[in-house]
Amino acid sequence: MKQMKLWDNDLCPCYQQVTESTTMHLYLCPHPTVASTREKYFHSILAWLDTVHTDPSLLEILTSFWHGENLILDQDCPQSLKNMYTTLKDIGLNQIWLGLLPVGMIEYQANYSQQIGSKKSAKNGG
C-alpha cells in the first residue's frame, strides 16, 4: 500500500504489526479478515479441483495439508504419492499458494485422467 502511495507507512493496513513489503504478505497475514478470505478461496480451489476430476488421493493430500493435518498414508499407498506428500511438506504452505507443487503431481493426475477416460490435460486442469 505504501509503494502505491495509498498508505503512509509499510505496515499491513489490516494487521498494523507486520510490514507489507511484498504480495507474499497476503499469504501470511494473520488478520482474521485476510485469513478468512484466504480460507474461502482455498475452499473454492478445492471445489474446483473436485469438479475437474482431480485424483481423489491428490485431493485428499492437498486438503489435509491445507488444514495442517498430518496425513498417514497406508502401506498400500503408492510410493510416488508418499514422495509427493513429503515434497509438499518440504515446500511449505506459503509456497504452494504461489503455485509451487511437486512435478510428479502432473504425471500422477495424467495417469488418473487416462484411467477414468478423461480427455482433459493434467497440465492445465481442463
Side-chain angles (χ1 to χ4, degrees):
M1 296 293 278
K2 183 180 179 184
Q3 292 173 354
M4 295 183 292
K5 299 185 182 0
L6 298 172
W7 201 254
D8 63 353
N9 62 59
D10 62 354
L11 294 178
C12 168
C14 296
Y15 195 59
Q16 290 290 306
Q17 294 178 9
V18 179
T19 59
E20 180 191 47
S21 57
T22 67
T23 56
M24 176 59 96
H25 175 72
L26 296 173
Y27 304 103
L28 304 171
C29 182
H31 189 272
T33 302
V34 176
S36 69
T37 301
R38 214 174 25 239
E39 186 74 18
K40 179 182 103 178
Y41 283 114
F42 186 74
H43 284 287
S44 296
I45 292 168
L46 289 177
W48 174 80
L49 287 171
D50 191 38
T51 62
V52 297
H53 307 292
T54 300
D55 179 277
S57 299
L58 292 178
L59 196 53
E60 180 182 15
I61 284 175
L62 289 169
T63 302
S64 66
F65 187 75
W66 170 254
H67 293 294
E69 300 166 358
N70 189 19
L71 185 63
I72 307 296
L73 300 169
D74 61 27
Q75 290 179 330
D76 296 336
C77 179
Q79 187 61 44
S80 61
L81 201 57
K82 292 177 183 178
N83 293 345
M84 281 185 265
Y85 183 61
T86 301
T87 303
L88 279 174
K89 292 193 303 188
D90 290 343
I91 291 172
L93 189 59
N94 299 327
Q95 300 300 329
I96 289 171
W97 267 108
L98 296 174
L100 299 176
L101 295 170
V103 179
M105 283 187 153
I106 294 172
E107 183 180 348
Y108 199 88
Q109 179 60 37
N111 290 337
Y112 176 74
S113 295
Q114 188 176 30
Q115 287 174 2
I116 64 170
S118 175
K119 303 272 187 217
K120 293 182 178 181
S121 166
K123 289 187 179 182
N124 64 17

